[in-house]
Amino acid sequence: MKLNLQNINKAFENRTRLGIMSVLMVNESADFTALKQWLEVTDGNLASHTRTLEDLGYIRSTKQFIGRKPNTAFSITPEGREAFRKHLAALEELLKNNRT
């Protein structure tokens, strides 16, 4: 049996990007420090993956100062929400159709 993988989004194949999108699907926003702690990744790793998702238009960042400290918060875009929903639906369909 041939597997239909055409609706699987390669942007979400990475564990960290999958985690970022999952957090942002259920939270209005999350800042860099919170994402780093929740996902247990390094600063560089998180920065790289958030940049990738931002370049794809799936998330947006907002930079501000809280007191004297810089703060970067991320939120999901409508395009990102739709792409992630389609990815999850494709995974569910793949699992449903390929049970043995």
Side-chain angles (χ1 to χ4, degrees):
M1 172 183 266
K2 184 178 177 186
L3 297 178
N4 182 5
L5 302 175
Q6 71 185 27
N7 294 323
I8 303 295
N9 190 324
K10 290 187 74 64
F12 308 131
E13 285 181 357
N14 178 276
R15 166 185 92 80
T16 302
R17 288 193 294 268
L18 183 68
I20 293 166
M21 294 300 289
S22 297
V23 168
L24 296 177
M25 284 290 285
V26 297
N27 292 285
E28 186 175 322
S29 68
D31 70 16
F32 190 91
T33 303
L35 282 173
K36 181 180 154 188
Q37 291 173 346
W38 288 332
L39 301 174
E40 299 179 341
V41 293
T42 65
D43 287 359
N45 195 310
L46 183 58
S48 173
H49 290 296
T50 54
R51 188 175 321 110
T52 297
L53 291 171
E54 198 168 9
D55 289 347
L56 290 168
Y58 293 159
I59 66 172
R60 72 175 60 90
S61 64
T62 306
K63 297 178 187 288
Q64 62 182 345
F65 281 89
I66 298 178
R68 293 180 165 238
K69 294 182 111 183
N71 177 274
T72 302
F74 299 96
S75 58
I76 196 165
T77 64
E79 296 80 12
R81 188 173 298 280
E82 182 64 22
F84 198 63
R85 281 190 181 133
K86 284 181 179 179
H87 178 74
L88 293 178
L91 288 175
E92 288 175 2
E93 189 67 24
L94 181 68
L95 292 171
K96 184 175 96 177
N97 289 335
N98 292 291
R99 289 188 178 159
T100 55

